[in-house]
Amino acid sequence: MPLSVQTRREKQKAKLRSELVDAAHKLVQEEGYEGLTIRKLAKRVGYAPMSVYSYFADKQDILFALAEDAFQTLAKRIKDHPADDPIEALKVIMAEYAAFGLGNPNEYRTVFMTERVKPPEGKTFAEMQEGNPLMKVLIERVEACVAAGRLKGDPRAIATMLWAVGHGTISLLITFPFYPFGDQQAFVTRMCDFALAALATQDVPPLSEAPVNCCP
Amino acid sequence: MPLSVQTRREKQKAKLRSELVDAAHKLVQEEGYEGLTIRKLAKRVGYAPMSVYSYFADKQDILFALAEDAFQTLAKRIKDHPADDPIEALKVIMAEYAAFGLGNPNEYRTVFMTERVKPPEGKTFAEMQEGNPLMKVLIERVEACVAAGRLKGDPRAIATMLWAVGHGTISLLITFPFYPFGDQQAFVTRMCDFALAALATQDVPPLSEAPVNCCP
DNA sequence: AGCAGGAATCGTACATGTACGATGATTTTT
DNA sequence: AAAAATCATCGTACATGTACGATTCCTGCT
């Protein structure tokens, strides 16, 4: 029965990994984001520092695991947040997304502001978009708007454009907390409304099908 | 004559500082961005590693100095790039800005994607905006559009919104080079045209005058 | 049971950013 | 000119991320 053994090992590994993630989470809560170091983390779970690298490629990998946990709850909160009007539903996403980013800047940074050099492991165009649970919900709700005749055009393109606007807004607010954007909430709402109003007036063509860009 | 002595010292310091910046620049060109280390840099100019800290607060400060040099040339290139139509002039800015960001992702990152915690040293609302030479040009050209009746509303607010859209677009392209945005150029143009077309149809109120936000 | 091969764990070592404080030079004050 | 204060420079030391290779342990086969 090699398979069950295999899975047993896998289980064990997964358990230790989640133990590490838990410890990392606590460490961050107790000592702040920069208090998370490999050595402290290893000591916390009773392993040697180098053993951590059996479970994570590098430190970024740990931060990313933490951040993804946080984003999971965000995705859930969004899904649990209903709205009758489909456009309002989009606004809910944008608002929750913004609130999360401004409330968890570290997590937002690691997920959306540090380079992802993961090559597309056989992922297709659409898979890469819907792989992200947030993007998945966004596309779905955009589709609802299109179906309701409130928006017109390619849902994926519309979703991507909304993402760009939302991300630009939030990342600027995070990076330049002292820049006079005025009230953060007001700025977020303004940008969100601006983008949605503009999209409502035009027919959005799909994104070009050019091969994936690669920085040389 | 304490003043002249003072200035002599200042001159000396400035000279050494620019020497350090030059050396850093060469190091980056020769060995890439991650090849720039304090020790190598110090050795290059014949100083002890710790002496570098008399001229820069930390490593980020060095990277920032490098990046600002690069942005200086961008600002100049934009100013030298004329356009008859005021809206076209705005598009030129957006295009050059995007080209720069995509062509110099490291510099773009350090300037626009790493937290700036500099408190506003007595700077006023407007000074903080026009302090950035890029934002200055942008506001000027937006003002030209408003004067020509091609846009309507508060120039600073419009400029900030354009910045948010442009930044969102570029930073996403930089951070997720493998995400299927399609052709990068096409995506940039699309977002730029989208924002400008949308702004042309509405009267943009000024940003709220709320006190500078501060993350607690 | 014994053994070979792979996997998990870890000890050591290195490069790095940078804090701290010493030391010598330079400027200012007396 | 002598003393005091300021400042540039640097030696040392520490915490950190992580590469490399040894070592221990487990697994499946004979």
Side-chain angles (χ1 to χ4, degrees):
Chain A
M1 263 189 220
L3 241 187
S4 90
V5 170
Q6 188 72 354
T7 50
R8 180 149 51 90
R9 254 234 267 252
E10 303 270 323
K11 277 257 176 66
Q12 186 69 5
K13 258 206 123 166
K15 201 183 110 198
L16 267 182
R17 187 189 155 102
S18 79
E19 206 173 312
L20 277 169
V21 172
D22 280 357
H25 199 77
K26 274 182 206 146
L27 251 174
V28 168
Q29 280 188 319
E30 291 168 18
E31 311 190 27
Y33 213 67
E34 74 292 338
L36 172 57
T37 80
I38 303 277
R39 287 178 224 271
K40 275 191 219 162
L41 178 57
K43 185 171 291 180
R44 202 57 91 88
V45 295
Y47 277 67
M50 272 303 113
S51 299
V52 174
Y53 287 87
S54 301
Y55 299 90
F56 298 94
D58 50 19
K59 191 180 179 182
Q60 274 233 47
D61 206 15
I62 303 174
L63 299 181
F64 196 72
L66 285 185
E68 271 204 329
D69 273 6
F71 270 93
Q72 217 63 26
T73 66
L74 168 62
K76 192 166 162 232
R77 184 162 57 226
I78 285 178
K79 274 181 213 138
D80 292 349
H81 199 143
D84 297 336
D85 186 76
I87 294 283
E88 286 304 316
L90 281 186
K91 288 189 184 174
V92 164
I93 292 189
M94 302 288 273
E96 292 277 11
Y97 184 79
F100 177 84
L102 295 175
N104 306 75
N106 288 323
E107 282 79 357
Y108 193 87
R109 268 184 131 56
T110 60
V111 169
F112 287 115
M113 297 169 74
T114 61
E115 202 176 8
R116 295 249 112 7
V117 270
K118 303 251 182 79
E121 319 152 359
K123 295 281 180 68
T124 81
F125 206 89
E127 279 168 2
M128 283 200 61
Q129 287 180 318
E130 295 182 357
N132 182 336
L134 281 176
M135 187 51 92
K136 187 155 177 276
V137 181
L138 183 57
I139 293 178
E140 283 170 8
R141 296 210 177 169
V142 169
E143 278 167 348
C145 288
V146 173
R150 306 288 296 275
L151 292 178
K152 207 187 298 182
D154 182 64
R156 285 214 265 264
I158 295 175
T160 307
M161 293 174 74
L162 280 174
W163 182 30
V165 172
H167 170 71
T169 306
I170 292 149
S171 59
L172 282 190
L173 288 172
I174 289 178
T175 304
F176 302 96
F178 289 106
Y179 192 90
F181 293 102
D183 180 59
Q184 290 193 334
Q185 276 309 319
F187 189 63
V188 168
T189 319
R190 169 200 288 250
M191 290 302 294
C192 173
D193 292 349
F194 163 75
L196 284 174
L199 284 168
T201 69
Q202 58 180 89
D203 189 341
V204 179
L207 296 169
S208 71
E209 290 276 350
V212 171
N213 312 85
C214 178
C215 309
Chain B
M1 262 188 221
L3 242 188
S4 91
V5 170
Q6 187 73 351
T7 51
R8 180 149 51 89
R9 248 231 276 245
E10 302 270 322
K11 278 255 177 66
Q12 187 68 5
K13 260 207 120 166
K15 202 183 108 197
L16 267 182
R17 189 190 153 100
S18 80
E19 206 173 312
L20 277 169
V21 172
D22 279 358
H25 199 76
K26 275 182 204 146
L27 250 176
V28 168
Q29 280 189 318
E30 290 167 20
E31 311 190 28
Y33 215 67
E34 74 293 339
L36 172 58
T37 80
I38 304 278
R39 286 165 161 87
K40 275 191 218 161
L41 179 57
K43 185 172 290 180
R44 200 59 90 88
V45 296
Y47 277 66
M50 271 304 115
S51 299
V52 174
Y53 286 87
S54 300
Y55 299 89
F56 298 94
D58 51 19
K59 191 180 178 184
Q60 274 232 49
D61 206 16
I62 304 174
L63 299 181
F64 196 72
L66 286 185
E68 271 204 329
D69 273 6
F71 270 93
Q72 216 63 27
T73 66
L74 169 63
K76 192 165 161 234
R77 183 162 58 228
I78 284 178
K79 277 182 211 137
D80 292 350
H81 199 143
D84 298 335
D85 187 75
I87 295 283
E88 285 305 316
L90 280 187
K91 289 190 183 173
V92 165
I93 292 190
M94 302 288 272
E96 292 277 11
Y97 184 78
F100 177 84
L102 296 175
N104 306 75
N106 288 324
E107 282 80 357
Y108 193 88
R109 264 181 138 50
T110 60
V111 169
F112 288 115
M113 298 169 73
T114 61
E115 201 176 10
R116 296 249 105 21
V117 270
K118 303 255 182 76
E121 319 152 359
K123 294 281 180 68
T124 80
F125 206 89
E127 278 168 2
M128 283 200 63
Q129 286 179 318
E130 295 182 359
N132 182 336
L134 281 177
M135 188 50 93
K136 188 156 176 273
V137 182
L138 182 58
I139 293 179
E140 283 169 8
R141 295 210 179 169
V142 168
E143 279 168 348
C145 288
V146 173
R150 305 288 296 275
L151 291 179
K152 206 188 297 182
D154 181 64
R156 285 213 265 265
I158 295 175
T160 306
M161 293 174 74
L162 280 174
W163 182 30
V165 172
H167 170 71
T169 306
I170 292 149
S171 60
L172 281 190
L173 289 172
I174 288 178
T175 305
F176 302 95
F178 290 105
Y179 192 88
F181 293 101
D183 180 59
Q184 291 193 333
Q185 276 309 319
F187 189 63
V188 168
T189 320
R190 170 201 288 250
M191 291 302 294
C192 172
D193 292 350
F194 164 75
L196 284 173
L199 284 168
T201 69
Q202 59 181 90
D203 189 341
V204 179
L207 295 170
S208 71
E209 291 276 350
V212 171
N213 310 85
C214 181
C215 311

